[in-house]
Amino acid sequence: MLPKVRDPNIWIVNVTIFLVGVACGMAISLLALHLDDRGYTKESIGTLAAWFALGIVGFSFPMTALMKRVSPKAVLVCSLLLYAATVAIFPFVTRTFALAAFVRVLDGAASAGMWIGCETILLSRADKDEKASLTALYAAAIAVGYMTGPFASKAVVALFSLEAAFVVAGVISALTGLFVGWRLDGDLPAAHGEAARDSEGKGSMSAGAVLRLIKTSCFGNFAYGYFQASVVLFLPLYLVAQKGITREQTIIIPGFFALGMLSFVGIAGKVGDRIGHLLTMRLLACAGTATVLSFVLFDRYWLMCAAVTLAGATLASISPISLALQGVILPHAEYGRGNALYNGFYAAGMLLGPPISGRLFTAYGGPAMLYHLAGLWVAFAVFAVLYAKDDPAHARARLAPQS
């Protein structure tokens, strides 16, 4: 059941992030194939991914400063148009690595602007008691977009060419930018109620102060970025090398991960709003840890598909709930700064995960890589227990009358 959406701008944000997911899904599904056709090595492809992550890390705070100077809507529209340009021209600049890396940095900058803009608008307009339900709806829109994008790119490639699919992805992003400029309200709602009282007389918080408040949310998103980037690159290789699964069968494995997220994230959001976001994240991390360990035990293809689906349902649901958690912790005026940190930690996870996982895989094999990913989620669960008081729901639960 969908949560109640009283503000039409929230629907506009969800349509926007769905279309962003379609455009990104089209480009991501063809990126490695195109670079391989151009003669790029696996190391070079990984290095380009690192330049993309550096773009996100480097431009997250500048995007926040721009939002305060202009507006989240303006940053979102400009970021959509910048992404449209970078994705459309990318297949035509890859003959030179330096130029391809520069475009990937701009791609990361545009992605930072799109995500931070959408998330700031969403958190500012979502009711406090439904933040997790609405961020879950937002995550589901992303998941559907990412599932749609590869099918769209396959159709375009069949009809025209691989390069044409990048151009189509750029056109989708450009049209989305025009749609946002036309339909989205320019101003955010003023802080009210508890949010207004929290921010009265305090002025702007420092980045360190914001990070202290949302450290559990940032750790959860860092762990997800680290895990997601590592699994996308190395789980298919592990399945082919050590489980006897064919390359053709591994192509649809990411679809099962997205399916798991799509099928469960709404339920997880409602649970988070009811029992507390951080408690829900701890439970999901524990279940997800067991699922990652099952990758080592299962050999049959259908069992692996089921395990990947369960991993998507549990671990992928942590990211939107961690977004909702920072939405109830931070003062209304600090959503932009908080989202910059949140996305910066996600990108840092994407930056660190593949090289560390790759070295473990190469030196000790696939199981060792999976054990260390499971250990990361255990570390997050322990961290979330130690700082359980970061979630306002923890204090409410302690003060609630016992029956």
Side-chain angles (χ1 to χ4, degrees):
M1 183 181 295
L2 293 175
K4 295 179 181 178
V5 180
R6 300 174 180 85
D7 189 336
N9 290 279
I10 293 176
W11 284 118
I12 294 172
V13 168
N14 281 299
V15 171
T16 299
I17 205 63
F18 162 73
L19 294 172
V20 167
V22 173
C24 292
M26 292 183 70
I28 290 171
S29 65
L30 299 174
L31 188 62
L33 293 175
H34 169 73
L35 294 174
D36 185 63
D37 290 344
R38 288 291 168 91
Y40 280 67
T41 65
K42 291 180 175 59
E43 182 179 355
S44 297
I45 294 172
T47 302
L48 284 178
W51 281 111
F52 169 75
L54 284 172
I56 299 174
V57 173
F59 283 89
S60 288
F61 272 100
M63 289 298 177
T64 304
L66 277 175
M67 284 195 300
K68 290 187 175 183
R69 183 174 294 273
V70 286
S71 69
K73 175 183 176 180
V75 169
L76 179 56
V77 171
C78 291
S79 298
L80 285 163
L81 296 178
L82 175 60
Y83 180 76
T86 59
V87 74
I89 68 171
F90 182 76
F92 307 105
V93 302
T94 49
R95 296 188 185 280
T96 304
F97 181 87
L99 189 54
F102 175 70
V103 172
R104 287 296 279 163
V105 170
L106 293 180
D107 191 344
S111 297
M114 292 188 298
W115 295 342
I116 295 170
C118 282
E119 289 161 8
T120 300
I121 294 166
L122 177 66
L123 289 180
S124 297
R125 293 183 176 278
D127 291 340
K128 182 177 181 180
D129 294 334
E130 289 188 337
K131 284 194 186 295
S133 297
L134 291 174
T135 55
L137 180 63
Y138 171 84
I142 297 174
V144 174
Y146 272 109
M147 290 176 64
T148 304
F151 291 99
S153 63
K154 184 177 180 180
V156 175
V157 170
L159 291 173
F160 300 102
S161 67
L162 189 147
E163 289 75 15
F166 283 94
V167 175
V168 170
V171 170
I172 291 173
S173 182
L175 292 175
T176 305
L178 296 177
F179 167 74
V180 171
W182 172 48
R183 294 290 298 170
L184 189 70
D185 288 348
D187 297 324
L188 295 179
H192 56 82
E194 186 176 338
R197 291 193 298 273
D198 286 344
S199 52
E200 281 179 358
K202 289 189 177 181
S204 179
M205 297 172 64
S206 68
V210 172
L211 179 58
R212 283 192 292 273
L213 287 177
I214 64 170
K215 55 185 176 293
T216 48
S217 178
C218 287
F219 191 172
N221 214 33
F222 168 83
Y224 181 60
Y226 188 108
F227 172 80
Q228 183 190 47
S230 299
V231 166
V232 164
L233 286 177
F234 298 114
L235 183 61
L237 299 179
Y238 169 68
L239 296 179
V240 171
Q242 299 186 21
K243 296 294 182 178
I245 293 174
T246 67
R247 291 182 180 273
E248 290 73 18
Q249 288 175 315
T250 65
I251 292 174
I252 63 171
I253 287 290
F256 285 100
F257 189 84
L259 176 63
M261 176 186 181
L262 185 61
S263 62
F264 190 72
V265 68
I267 298 172
K270 290 183 180 297
V271 172
D273 284 332
R274 182 175 294 273
I275 71 172
H277 304 117
L278 194 51
L279 174 57
T280 303
M281 290 161 65
R282 293 201 304 266
L283 295 174
L284 291 171
C286 291
T289 298
T291 304
V292 173
L293 293 174
S294 75
F295 292 171
V296 180
L297 300 176
F298 294 157
D299 291 320
R300 293 183 180 274
Y301 178 65
W302 70 269
L303 284 174
M304 286 302 307
C305 291
V308 170
T309 302
L310 185 57
T314 53
L315 299 177
S317 296
I318 288 176
S319 182
I321 296 177
S322 66
L323 177 62
L325 174 62
Q326 77 172 36
V328 300
I329 293 175
L330 284 177
H332 191 275
E334 298 299 337
Y335 282 162
R337 192 187 298 267
N339 286 331
L341 284 167
Y342 174 85
N343 282 288
F345 271 82
Y346 174 74
M350 293 175 64
L351 189 62
L352 294 175
I356 295 174
S357 296
R359 289 183 180 180
L360 286 172
F361 195 172
T362 301
Y364 304 106
M369 177 197 67
L370 293 170
Y371 291 146
H372 111 280
L373 292 175
L376 175 65
W377 288 114
V378 171
F380 167 71
V382 172
F383 189 85
V385 171
L386 293 175
Y387 294 100
K389 292 181 181 179
D390 283 4
D391 190 345
H394 178 77
R396 292 197 298 269
R398 291 175 64 88
L399 295 173
Q402 302 295 318
S403 57

